[in-house]
Amino acid sequence: MALDEIKISRVIIEAYSQKLTKALDADVAIVGGGPAGLVCGYYLAKAGKQVVLFERKLSIGGGMWGGGIMFNEIVVQSSGKKIMDDFDIRTCEVERGYYRADSVETVSTICSKAVKAGLKVFNLLSAEDVMVRDNRVSGLVLNWSAVAIANLHVDPITMRAKFVVDATGHPAEVARIIERKSGIRLHTKTGKLLGEQSMWAEVGEDTIVKNSKEVCPGFYVCGMCANAVFGGPRMGPIFGGMLLSGQKVARELVKRL
Ligand code: 48F
């Protein structure tokens, strides 16, 4: 059988167009495909919700691939290990309460299970703005990451979601846009972003789960972004809090949807 390049191209264009068109109206839109966003997407998809995830980069997985200083190993504590078990990721207890895992196995397994559960992932697309209606975050404004990188003047597209989740990690990009442009008061002490604090793993791991919640109507944060919004510390290459935070937001959203 002769292979026809045009058929190959048509398959890709049609399949992608259908996928993107379906994604324009979702239950939940997650921005950022790091560990927190992916875990959040996995549990939402598993619960049968229509959930889409937009990731700026070519690959999803965020800051997890590189472990600590590019040594591709991660650590999780006992609470986080339960989620590793849920995903069937191998861990090894090196000291009481400290579990080690291969970061490549961890990321690739979470990605695979999330996509198979029904999470629709769009890599190479960045959220550059939000839609706000009646003081509620109601969707995202999206553009190809390549457009921003090349500094091109190209208008974006929009998608609607019942809830938007910021899982963009340290920069808390969506929360910053809302703070800057919407005039909505965030549910923080000052009504604005409080900013991330310096490294303190124990406190950071605890607060990140507490801080993973609704920040203003229709808008949640999870992962490192939650501590950047509510003023918690960073925690380095321990990932239990990141996974638990994604799971917490997913559980809350399942109840509300
Ligand atoms: O940074 P990232 O891995 O966030 P996370 O899930 O996990 C944090 C840890 O990796 C680590 C840590 C552990 O203690 O502190 O840093 O909270 O993943 C965030 C993802 O969001 C993407 C970005 O490319 C990354 O893959 N991202 C950021 N801004 C945008 C975005 C945007 N505007 N649109 C789309 N994707």
Side-chain angles (χ1 to χ4, degrees):
M1 190 193 78
L3 278 176
D4 180 353
E5 292 84 353
I6 306 307
K7 275 189 193 158
I8 297 169
S9 304
R10 188 178 298 125
V11 167
I12 290 169
I13 293 167
E14 286 177 0
Y16 189 88
S17 300
Q18 271 180 26
K19 196 161 61 174
L20 187 59
T21 306
K22 264 195 185 165
L24 295 183
D25 219 331
D27 289 330
V28 183
I30 300 170
V31 185
L38 286 168
V39 167
C40 183
Y42 167 77
Y43 285 110
L44 280 163
K46 226 176 139 205
K49 305 303 166 197
Q50 207 214 330
V51 50
V52 295
L53 184 151
F54 301 101
E55 165 56 50
R56 167 175 292 149
K57 294 193 177 145
L58 182 56
S59 64
I60 52 174
M64 211 186 214
W65 295 104
I69 62 158
M70 296 197 272
F71 290 12
N72 59 3
E73 293 282 330
I74 58 160
V75 173
V76 292
Q77 61 280 57
S78 307
S79 50
K81 188 198 175 277
K82 292 189 189 113
I83 297 189
M84 300 289 272
D85 291 344
D86 224 8
F87 277 92
D88 211 12
I89 298 165
R90 291 171 300 173
T91 52
C92 167
E93 191 172 26
V94 281
E95 250 184 68
R96 198 153 172 254
Y98 290 76
Y99 296 84
R100 175 188 67 69
D102 181 287
S103 73
V104 175
E105 176 178 342
T106 308
V107 177
S108 56
T109 306
I110 292 174
C111 292
S112 164
K113 295 216 164 156
V115 171
K116 284 184 179 158
L119 174 67
K120 292 283 176 279
V121 174
F122 295 88
N123 55 340
L124 298 166
L125 269 174
S126 295
E128 62 169 52
D129 203 350
V130 291
M131 287 206 296
V132 177
R133 295 290 180 276
D134 301 324
N135 239 27
R136 181 188 171 89
V137 177
S138 61
L140 290 171
V141 178
L142 302 163
N143 215 330
W144 299 113
S145 308
V147 165
I149 293 165
N151 201 17
L152 300 175
H153 186 166
V154 178
D155 270 322
I157 55 168
T158 43
M159 62 84 55
R160 185 166 42 221
K162 296 187 183 100
F163 292 96
V164 168
V165 178
D166 189 346
T168 60
H170 297 267
E173 289 201 15
V174 187
R176 281 187 201 285
I177 291 166
I178 293 169
E179 177 192 52
R180 195 175 74 242
K181 293 178 85 169
S182 75
I184 299 177
R185 194 184 155 80
L186 307 182
H187 300 157
T188 62
K189 276 186 203 143
T190 60
K192 301 216 169 269
L193 261 79
L194 300 181
E196 177 189 303
Q197 293 172 1
S198 293
M199 182 86 88
W200 191 351
E202 193 179 338
V203 176
E205 284 289 284
D206 186 36
T207 52
I208 203 161
V209 183
K210 289 186 187 138
N211 290 337
S212 295
K213 55 187 178 186
E214 193 170 40
V215 184
C216 67
F219 179 62
Y220 278 71
V221 286
C222 70
M224 201 53 229
C225 169
N227 274 5
V229 168
F230 287 100
R234 66 186 306 190
M235 69 291 288
I238 178 153
F239 280 88
M242 230 43 79
L243 310 177
L244 290 162
S245 122
Q247 184 191 43
K248 180 187 169 189
V249 167
R251 282 182 174 161
E252 283 195 17
L253 289 177
V254 168
K255 277 192 218 144
R256 290 190 66 182
L257 278 161

